Amino acid sequence: MRDDEVWIELPPINPAARRRLIVFLHGRGSSAQQFAPVGIAWQLKFPGAVGVLMNARRAAGGRARKWFAQRPLEGRAERIDAAVEEFRTRLALVQAEQDIGPEATMLVGFGQGATVALEAIRGQARAPASIVVAYAARLARPVRPGERVDAAIHLVHGTHDSLVPLAHARQARRGLAAAGARVTLDIIADGVHSI
């Protein structure tokens, strides 16, 4: 894979099975290549799915990939918004290329990638995916009064996650449920910041 490529595509394991699109968003400092085992594991559950492992951009002059810069705190929300908009554009391209709509699209993310996935389905008349699976995620901002989220969301979080404490997942579950999302939270006993 060339360094400038933005995604890796995994063809369906069984083209005769139900067709869907599963888009994977790695965590900060990782890459689509490193996230490939997760993609393959999900494809075993959904053998008709096209798997697309998205790559975050490399920071200018840096080696590590990240969806958005954590620091400084000032302007963080705007940086996340920009990452989400870029992701939505890239997702729309993949959906058009595969001829698969939002109703058959699932987003699976970890850490920063999970935050981008959760934010991507917010604030839209029609969410770009019907299902989000978010490992070790946090919302970029609290759910606003009157906000509607029409998706199924599955949060997975470890009790010992020191980078994104479990409180963030609990807060996300409450807020997203209040916004109309069908949301579950699996808590992994003794789990750390991992997938």
Side-chain angles (χ1 to χ4, degrees):
M1 184 179 106
R2 291 188 340 251
D3 185 53
D4 59 342
E5 289 187 66
V6 294
W7 69 69
I8 299 170
E9 188 175 311
L10 303 173
I13 294 170
N14 178 359
R18 181 176 175 220
R19 197 155 190 272
R20 67 174 70 224
L21 175 64
I22 306 177
V23 178
F24 301 93
L25 295 91
H26 62 79
R28 179 176 56 126
S30 187
S31 69
Q33 291 152 308
Q34 292 171 320
F35 214 59
V38 174
I40 292 167
W42 275 92
Q43 277 195 301
L44 292 173
K45 295 175 188 276
F46 300 98
V50 173
V52 172
L53 298 121
M54 288 276 180
N55 252 331
R57 303 286 183 189
R58 287 193 192 277
R63 295 185 52 165
R65 293 185 180 275
K66 54 188 167 184
W67 296 98
F68 53 88
Q70 297 278 79
R71 301 264 190 270
L73 289 180
E74 182 178 301
R76 182 177 182 268
E78 291 78 14
R79 291 190 302 274
I80 293 172
D81 289 345
V84 168
E85 283 310 307
E86 179 182 350
F87 170 71
R88 283 181 183 145
T89 300
R90 292 163 65 191
L91 175 60
L93 288 171
V94 171
Q95 287 172 321
E97 180 181 280
Q98 295 295 330
D99 194 26
I100 299 175
E103 68 285 345
T105 299
M106 179 187 327
L107 307 179
V108 178
F110 170 69
Q112 277 194 357
T115 295
V116 169
L118 288 172
E119 294 301 319
I121 62 165
R122 297 178 65 187
Q124 301 291 296
R126 182 176 184 212
S130 61
I131 300 171
V132 174
V133 179
Y135 294 89
R138 72 188 316 161
L139 295 174
R141 60 183 55 85
V143 173
R144 296 174 287 282
E147 182 177 348
R148 297 297 304 158
V149 177
D150 186 28
I153 300 169
H154 186 62
L155 303 168
V156 183
H157 218 99
T159 58
H160 290 59
D161 187 335
S162 61
L163 292 177
V164 181
L166 177 58
H168 289 289
R170 289 185 168 133
Q171 181 183 31
R173 181 189 62 200
R174 286 191 302 273
L176 292 166
R182 300 168 309 282
V183 61
T184 61
L185 169 59
D186 279 351
I187 298 173
I188 310 302
D190 301 323
V192 295
H193 191 74
S194 65
I195 191 166

